[in-house]
Amino acid sequence: MLKYVNTDVVFQEIPDETTLAVNISNCPCRCPGCHSRYLWEDVGLPLDVSAIDDFMSRVGDDITCMAFMGGDAEPVEVNRLAQYIHETYPQLKVAWYSGRIRIPAAITKTDFDYIKIGPFIRHLGPLKQPTTNQRLYRIEDDGTMTDITSRFWKKPI
């Protein structure tokens, strides 16, 4: 069962979106240097359609995107929730931040609008560093993945 520890409305995770970031526990990736080690444990509240509906009743008018931050232990369940969001809240975009190197074959990419893949590797830096190994993709209607990682990098003035 997916569980979440907390949520926060954020403005930097997905370019041009006001995003509800849902921090999912029981992360199997265990990246060295992880800034969210508290998400390694199997703790928190159930993350299911009732939780999604509760989030939307509280902040639905204030967000344009919901991002699952983790969920690598149960990617099929993350996919199922993405489907639910698109069916029930069609105005909302859905993102998934995965620490895996590849998107699992069981995932239907078109159920997401954005997918970030890649473990955190300290010496390569996070998404905002041009040296990062992590990549954020916008998923096009036909399933094509467009790399938009450079949107995080500061442009010279």
Side-chain angles (χ1 to χ4, degrees):
M1 164 194 299
L2 282 177
K3 295 179 186 174
Y4 75 99
V5 175
N6 55 20
T7 64
D8 198 13
V9 175
V10 297
F11 303 97
Q12 295 182 15
E13 300 297 345
I14 304 296
D16 306 320
E17 303 293 345
T18 303
T19 302
L20 180 68
V22 181
N23 291 310
I24 300 173
S25 67
N26 199 25
C27 181
C29 297
R30 309 281 199 276
C31 301
C34 175
H35 61 75
S36 302
R37 290 178 66 109
Y38 68 99
L39 296 175
W40 291 9
E41 301 301 319
D42 185 13
V43 296
L45 300 170
L47 180 56
D48 54 19
V49 297
S50 295
I52 300 295
D53 292 340
D54 181 57
F55 300 154
M56 291 303 293
S57 72
R58 289 186 287 123
V59 298
D61 293 337
D62 298 329
I63 63 172
T64 60
C65 182
M66 189 175 300
F68 297 112
M69 311 301 279
D72 289 300
E74 297 185 54
V76 172
E77 185 61 16
V78 173
N79 198 138
R80 190 181 73 75
L81 290 175
Q83 289 172 336
Y84 175 78
I85 292 167
H86 274 157
E87 291 168 4
T88 310
Y89 306 100
Q91 75 283 7
L92 205 61
K93 293 185 179 148
V94 181
W96 180 30
Y97 265 45
S98 170
R100 299 292 187 190
I101 295 170
R102 291 178 193 83
I103 298 169
I107 296 300
T108 304
K109 292 183 291 191
T110 54
D111 288 332
F112 298 88
D113 298 285
Y114 303 94
I115 297 177
K116 191 244 8 148
I117 56 173
F120 175 72
I121 299 175
R122 185 187 309 241
H123 72 276
L124 296 177
L127 282 174
K128 67 181 182 178
Q129 298 294 325
T131 55
T132 188
N133 64 295
Q134 298 177 315
R135 291 288 176 260
L136 179 65
Y137 295 95
R138 182 178 60 237
I139 310 302
E140 309 298 343
D141 292 339
D142 66 357
T144 302
M145 297 173 62
T146 302
D147 188 338
I148 63 169
T149 310
S150 63
R151 298 274 318 270
F152 290 95
W153 305 337
K154 291 185 178 178
K155 309 290 186 233
I157 299 175

PDB file of all heavy atoms in Angstrom, residues 84-106:
ATOM      1  N   TYR A  84      -6.635   7.838 -12.224  1.00  0.00           N
ATOM      2  CA  TYR A  84      -7.784   8.353 -11.471  1.00  0.00           C
ATOM      3  C   TYR A  84      -7.831   9.880 -11.521  1.00  0.00           C
ATOM      4  O   TYR A  84      -8.896  10.460 -11.750  1.00  0.00           O
ATOM      5  CB  TYR A  84      -7.723   7.863 -10.017  1.00  0.00           C
ATOM      6  CG  TYR A  84      -8.817   8.461  -9.164  1.00  0.00           C
ATOM      7  CD1 TYR A  84     -10.106   7.980  -9.244  1.00  0.00           C
ATOM      8  CD2 TYR A  84      -8.554   9.523  -8.301  1.00  0.00           C
ATOM      9  CE1 TYR A  84     -11.130   8.545  -8.482  1.00  0.00           C
ATOM     10  CE2 TYR A  84      -9.561  10.089  -7.539  1.00  0.00           C
ATOM     11  CZ  TYR A  84     -10.850   9.597  -7.638  1.00  0.00           C
ATOM     12  OH  TYR A  84     -11.859  10.169  -6.893  1.00  0.00           O
ATOM     13  N   ILE A  85      -6.702  10.510 -11.323  1.00  0.00           N
ATOM     14  CA  ILE A  85      -6.660  11.979 -11.344  1.00  0.00           C
ATOM     15  C   ILE A  85      -7.072  12.498 -12.714  1.00  0.00           C
ATOM     16  O   ILE A  85      -7.895  13.416 -12.817  1.00  0.00           O
ATOM     17  CB  ILE A  85      -5.271  12.502 -10.942  1.00  0.00           C
ATOM     18  CG1 ILE A  85      -5.000  12.195  -9.475  1.00  0.00           C
ATOM     19  CG2 ILE A  85      -5.150  14.002 -11.224  1.00  0.00           C
ATOM     20  CD1 ILE A  85      -3.561  12.383  -9.046  1.00  0.00           C
ATOM     21  N   HIS A  86      -6.534  11.925 -13.773  1.00  0.00           N
ATOM     22  CA  HIS A  86      -6.884  12.407 -15.121  1.00  0.00           C
ATOM     23  C   HIS A  86      -8.361  12.187 -15.439  1.00  0.00           C
ATOM     24  O   HIS A  86      -8.984  13.019 -16.095  1.00  0.00           O
ATOM     25  CB  HIS A  86      -6.005  11.741 -16.167  1.00  0.00           C
ATOM     26  CG  HIS A  86      -4.713  12.452 -16.377  1.00  0.00           C
ATOM     27  ND1 HIS A  86      -3.609  11.829 -16.893  1.00  0.00           N
ATOM     28  CD2 HIS A  86      -4.336  13.731 -16.150  1.00  0.00           C
ATOM     29  CE1 HIS A  86      -2.609  12.700 -16.975  1.00  0.00           C
ATOM     30  NE2 HIS A  86      -3.029  13.854 -16.510  1.00  0.00           N
ATOM     31  N   GLU A  87      -8.934  11.093 -14.958  1.00  0.00           N
ATOM     32  CA  GLU A  87     -10.346  10.813 -15.200  1.00  0.00           C
ATOM     33  C   GLU A  87     -11.256  11.696 -14.353  1.00  0.00           C
ATOM     34  O   GLU A  87     -12.292  12.162 -14.825  1.00  0.00           O
ATOM     35  CB  GLU A  87     -10.649   9.344 -14.913  1.00  0.00           C
ATOM     36  CG  GLU A  87     -10.027   8.387 -15.906  1.00  0.00           C
ATOM     37  CD  GLU A  87     -10.095   6.929 -15.448  1.00  0.00           C
ATOM     38  OE1 GLU A  87     -10.697   6.645 -14.389  1.00  0.00           O
ATOM     39  OE2 GLU A  87      -9.519   6.088 -16.155  1.00  0.00           O
ATOM     40  N   THR A  88     -10.887  11.921 -13.106  1.00  0.00           N
ATOM     41  CA  THR A  88     -11.753  12.619 -12.155  1.00  0.00           C
ATOM     42  C   THR A  88     -11.512  14.125 -12.126  1.00  0.00           C
ATOM     43  O   THR A  88     -12.445  14.899 -11.901  1.00  0.00           O
ATOM     44  CB  THR A  88     -11.536  12.026 -10.740  1.00  0.00           C
ATOM     45  OG1 THR A  88     -11.633  10.599 -10.820  1.00  0.00           O
ATOM     46  CG2 THR A  88     -12.569  12.563  -9.761  1.00  0.00           C
ATOM     47  N   TYR A  89     -10.290  14.538 -12.368  1.00  0.00           N
ATOM     48  CA  TYR A  89      -9.901  15.951 -12.336  1.00  0.00           C
ATOM     49  C   TYR A  89      -9.153  16.279 -13.637  1.00  0.00           C
ATOM     50  O   TYR A  89      -7.935  16.499 -13.617  1.00  0.00           O
ATOM     51  CB  TYR A  89      -9.023  16.240 -11.118  1.00  0.00           C
ATOM     52  CG  TYR A  89      -9.666  15.809  -9.814  1.00  0.00           C
ATOM     53  CD1 TYR A  89      -9.313  14.607  -9.196  1.00  0.00           C
ATOM     54  CD2 TYR A  89     -10.655  16.590  -9.220  1.00  0.00           C
ATOM     55  CE1 TYR A  89      -9.915  14.205  -8.014  1.00  0.00           C
ATOM     56  CE2 TYR A  89     -11.274  16.189  -8.039  1.00  0.00           C
ATOM     57  CZ  TYR A  89     -10.890  14.995  -7.448  1.00  0.00           C
ATOM     58  OH  TYR A  89     -11.495  14.596  -6.274  1.00  0.00           O
ATOM     59  N   PRO A  90      -9.847  16.302 -14.764  1.00  0.00           N
ATOM     60  CA  PRO A  90      -9.165  16.440 -16.069  1.00  0.00           C
ATOM     61  C   PRO A  90      -8.401  17.746 -16.243  1.00  0.00           C
ATOM     62  O   PRO A  90      -7.522  17.832 -17.103  1.00  0.00           O
ATOM     63  CB  PRO A  90     -10.302  16.315 -17.080  1.00  0.00           C
ATOM     64  CG  PRO A  90     -11.552  16.614 -16.316  1.00  0.00           C
ATOM     65  CD  PRO A  90     -11.290  16.201 -14.903  1.00  0.00           C
ATOM     66  N   GLN A  91      -8.698  18.744 -15.434  1.00  0.00           N
ATOM     67  CA  GLN A  91      -7.981  20.017 -15.522  1.00  0.00           C
ATOM     68  C   GLN A  91      -6.586  19.934 -14.904  1.00  0.00           C
ATOM     69  O   GLN A  91      -5.750  20.806 -15.119  1.00  0.00           O
ATOM     70  CB  GLN A  91      -8.777  21.134 -14.830  1.00  0.00           C
ATOM     71  CG  GLN A  91      -8.748  21.118 -13.305  1.00  0.00           C
ATOM     72  CD  GLN A  91      -9.627  20.074 -12.602  1.00  0.00           C
ATOM     73  OE1 GLN A  91     -10.232  19.209 -13.238  1.00  0.00           O
ATOM     74  NE2 GLN A  91      -9.682  20.148 -11.277  1.00  0.00           N
ATOM     75  N   LEU A  92      -6.322  18.881 -14.160  1.00  0.00           N
ATOM     76  CA  LEU A  92      -5.085  18.749 -13.399  1.00  0.00           C
ATOM     77  C   LEU A  92      -4.039  17.954 -14.170  1.00  0.00           C
ATOM     78  O   LEU A  92      -4.343  16.935 -14.786  1.00  0.00           O
ATOM     79  CB  LEU A  92      -5.399  18.031 -12.081  1.00  0.00           C
ATOM     80  CG  LEU A  92      -4.490  18.273 -10.895  1.00  0.00           C
ATOM     81  CD1 LEU A  92      -4.492  19.731 -10.497  1.00  0.00           C
ATOM     82  CD2 LEU A  92      -4.952  17.425  -9.722  1.00  0.00           C
ATOM     83  N   LYS A  93      -2.809  18.416 -14.123  1.00  0.00           N
ATOM     84  CA  LYS A  93      -1.692  17.656 -14.682  1.00  0.00           C
ATOM     85  C   LYS A  93      -1.134  16.753 -13.588  1.00  0.00           C
ATOM     86  O   LYS A  93      -1.301  17.018 -12.397  1.00  0.00           O
ATOM     87  CB  LYS A  93      -0.630  18.602 -15.215  1.00  0.00           C
ATOM     88  CG  LYS A  93      -1.157  19.374 -16.411  1.00  0.00           C
ATOM     89  CD  LYS A  93      -0.107  20.216 -17.039  1.00  0.00           C
ATOM     90  CE  LYS A  93      -0.735  20.911 -18.239  1.00  0.00           C
ATOM     91  NZ  LYS A  93      -0.162  22.209 -18.471  1.00  0.00           N
ATOM     92  N   VAL A  94      -0.463  15.679 -14.019  1.00  0.00           N
ATOM     93  CA  VAL A  94       0.076  14.702 -13.072  1.00  0.00           C
ATOM     94  C   VAL A  94       1.560  14.499 -13.365  1.00  0.00           C
ATOM     95  O   VAL A  94       1.952  14.300 -14.520  1.00  0.00           O
ATOM     96  CB  VAL A  94      -0.662  13.350 -13.176  1.00  0.00           C
ATOM     97  CG1 VAL A  94      -0.090  12.358 -12.161  1.00  0.00           C
ATOM     98  CG2 VAL A  94      -2.159  13.522 -12.977  1.00  0.00           C
ATOM     99  N   ALA A  95       2.351  14.549 -12.304  1.00  0.00           N
ATOM    100  CA  ALA A  95       3.796  14.336 -12.418  1.00  0.00           C
ATOM    101  C   ALA A  95       4.215  13.217 -11.476  1.00  0.00           C
ATOM    102  O   ALA A  95       3.558  12.959 -10.470  1.00  0.00           O
ATOM    103  CB  ALA A  95       4.539  15.620 -12.073  1.00  0.00           C
ATOM    104  N   TRP A  96       5.335  12.602 -11.829  1.00  0.00           N
ATOM    105  CA  TRP A  96       5.903  11.551 -10.971  1.00  0.00           C
ATOM    106  C   TRP A  96       7.410  11.735 -10.930  1.00  0.00           C
ATOM    107  O   TRP A  96       8.065  11.773 -11.963  1.00  0.00           O
ATOM    108  CB  TRP A  96       5.550  10.177 -11.513  1.00  0.00           C
ATOM    109  CG  TRP A  96       6.080   9.033 -10.700  1.00  0.00           C
ATOM    110  CD1 TRP A  96       6.315   9.005  -9.354  1.00  0.00           C
ATOM    111  CD2 TRP A  96       6.422   7.737 -11.183  1.00  0.00           C
ATOM    112  NE1 TRP A  96       6.798   7.774  -8.969  1.00  0.00           N
ATOM    113  CE2 TRP A  96       6.860   6.981 -10.076  1.00  0.00           C
ATOM    114  CE3 TRP A  96       6.400   7.142 -12.433  1.00  0.00           C
ATOM    115  CZ2 TRP A  96       7.275   5.661 -10.196  1.00  0.00           C
ATOM    116  CZ3 TRP A  96       6.817   5.825 -12.553  1.00  0.00           C
ATOM    117  CH2 TRP A  96       7.238   5.095 -11.441  1.00  0.00           C
ATOM    118  N   TYR A  97       7.940  11.881  -9.724  1.00  0.00           N
ATOM    119  CA  TYR A  97       9.384  11.934  -9.503  1.00  0.00           C
ATOM    120  C   TYR A  97       9.822  10.547  -9.056  1.00  0.00           C
ATOM    121  O   TYR A  97       9.483  10.106  -7.963  1.00  0.00           O
ATOM    122  CB  TYR A  97       9.720  12.945  -8.406  1.00  0.00           C
ATOM    123  CG  TYR A  97      10.074  14.321  -8.891  1.00  0.00           C
ATOM    124  CD1 TYR A  97       9.331  14.962  -9.866  1.00  0.00           C
ATOM    125  CD2 TYR A  97      11.147  15.006  -8.344  1.00  0.00           C
ATOM    126  CE1 TYR A  97       9.652  16.238 -10.289  1.00  0.00           C
ATOM    127  CE2 TYR A  97      11.477  16.284  -8.753  1.00  0.00           C
ATOM    128  CZ  TYR A  97      10.724  16.896  -9.724  1.00  0.00           C
ATOM    129  OH  TYR A  97      11.042  18.162 -10.141  1.00  0.00           O
ATOM    130  N   SER A  98      10.573   9.871  -9.917  1.00  0.00           N
ATOM    131  CA  SER A  98      11.072   8.532  -9.616  1.00  0.00           C
ATOM    132  C   SER A  98      12.590   8.581  -9.471  1.00  0.00           C
ATOM    133  O   SER A  98      13.267   9.265 -10.227  1.00  0.00           O
ATOM    134  CB  SER A  98      10.697   7.577 -10.758  1.00  0.00           C
ATOM    135  OG  SER A  98      11.365   6.339 -10.602  1.00  0.00           O
ATOM    136  N   GLY A  99      13.104   7.818  -8.536  1.00  0.00           N
ATOM    137  CA  GLY A  99      14.546   7.724  -8.362  1.00  0.00           C
ATOM    138  C   GLY A  99      15.170   6.615  -9.201  1.00  0.00           C
ATOM    139  O   GLY A  99      16.366   6.372  -9.122  1.00  0.00           O
ATOM    140  N   ARG A 100      14.363   5.965  -9.999  1.00  0.00           N
ATOM    141  CA  ARG A 100      14.869   4.884 -10.846  1.00  0.00           C
ATOM    142  C   ARG A 100      15.567   5.431 -12.085  1.00  0.00           C
ATOM    143  O   ARG A 100      15.340   6.558 -12.504  1.00  0.00           O
ATOM    144  CB  ARG A 100      13.729   3.971 -11.288  1.00  0.00           C
ATOM    145  CG  ARG A 100      13.015   3.300 -10.154  1.00  0.00           C
ATOM    146  CD  ARG A 100      13.890   2.292  -9.465  1.00  0.00           C
ATOM    147  NE  ARG A 100      13.098   1.548  -8.492  1.00  0.00           N
ATOM    148  CZ  ARG A 100      13.611   0.738  -7.617  1.00  0.00           C
ATOM    149  NH1 ARG A 100      14.912   0.567  -7.557  1.00  0.00           N
ATOM    150  NH2 ARG A 100      12.856   0.107  -6.769  1.00  0.00           N
ATOM    151  N   ILE A 101      16.385   4.606 -12.699  1.00  0.00           N
ATOM    152  CA  ILE A 101      17.098   4.986 -13.918  1.00  0.00           C
ATOM    153  C   ILE A 101      16.174   4.902 -15.129  1.00  0.00           C
ATOM    154  O   ILE A 101      16.301   5.672 -16.073  1.00  0.00           O
ATOM    155  CB  ILE A 101      18.326   4.074 -14.114  1.00  0.00           C
ATOM    156  CG1 ILE A 101      19.319   4.319 -12.982  1.00  0.00           C
ATOM    157  CG2 ILE A 101      18.980   4.305 -15.460  1.00  0.00           C
ATOM    158  CD1 ILE A 101      20.456   3.316 -12.939  1.00  0.00           C
ATOM    159  N   ARG A 102      15.226   3.967 -15.086  1.00  0.00           N
ATOM    160  CA  ARG A 102      14.293   3.760 -16.198  1.00  0.00           C
ATOM    161  C   ARG A 102      12.856   3.750 -15.680  1.00  0.00           C
ATOM    162  O   ARG A 102      12.607   3.373 -14.535  1.00  0.00           O
ATOM    163  CB  ARG A 102      14.558   2.427 -16.884  1.00  0.00           C
ATOM    164  CG  ARG A 102      15.848   2.376 -17.637  1.00  0.00           C
ATOM    165  CD  ARG A 102      16.064   1.000 -18.267  1.00  0.00           C
ATOM    166  NE  ARG A 102      17.431   0.849 -18.721  1.00  0.00           N
ATOM    167  CZ  ARG A 102      18.452   0.488 -17.961  1.00  0.00           C
ATOM    168  NH1 ARG A 102      18.269   0.226 -16.696  1.00  0.00           N
ATOM    169  NH2 ARG A 102      19.664   0.390 -18.468  1.00  0.00           N
ATOM    170  N   ILE A 103      11.945   4.082 -16.558  1.00  0.00           N
ATOM    171  CA  ILE A 103      10.525   3.984 -16.238  1.00  0.00           C
ATOM    172  C   ILE A 103      10.135   2.515 -16.346  1.00  0.00           C
ATOM    173  O   ILE A 103      10.416   1.874 -17.364  1.00  0.00           O
ATOM    174  CB  ILE A 103       9.693   4.842 -17.217  1.00  0.00           C
ATOM    175  CG1 ILE A 103      10.096   6.318 -17.079  1.00  0.00           C
ATOM    176  CG2 ILE A 103       8.202   4.663 -16.954  1.00  0.00           C
ATOM    177  CD1 ILE A 103       9.539   7.200 -18.171  1.00  0.00           C
ATOM    178  N   PRO A 104       9.505   1.957 -15.313  1.00  0.00           N
ATOM    179  CA  PRO A 104       9.127   0.541 -15.368  1.00  0.00           C
ATOM    180  C   PRO A 104       8.225   0.244 -16.572  1.00  0.00           C
ATOM    181  O   PRO A 104       7.379   1.063 -16.951  1.00  0.00           O
ATOM    182  CB  PRO A 104       8.375   0.321 -14.053  1.00  0.00           C
ATOM    183  CG  PRO A 104       8.874   1.395 -13.144  1.00  0.00           C
ATOM    184  CD  PRO A 104       9.157   2.575 -14.035  1.00  0.00           C
ATOM    185  N   ALA A 105       8.392  -0.931 -17.147  1.00  0.00           N
ATOM    186  CA  ALA A 105       7.619  -1.326 -18.327  1.00  0.00           C
ATOM    187  C   ALA A 105       6.116  -1.355 -18.053  1.00  0.00           C
ATOM    188  O   ALA A 105       5.321  -1.143 -18.966  1.00  0.00           O
ATOM    189  CB  ALA A 105       8.090  -2.700 -18.808  1.00  0.00           C
ATOM    190  N   ALA A 106       5.715  -1.585 -16.815  1.00  0.00           N
ATOM    191  CA  ALA A 106       4.294  -1.666 -16.473  1.00  0.00           C
ATOM    192  C   ALA A 106       3.609  -0.290 -16.447  1.00  0.00           C
ATOM    193  O   ALA A 106       2.390  -0.214 -16.327  1.00  0.00           O
ATOM    194  CB  ALA A 106       4.123  -2.348 -15.122  1.00  0.00           C
TER     195      ALA A 106
END
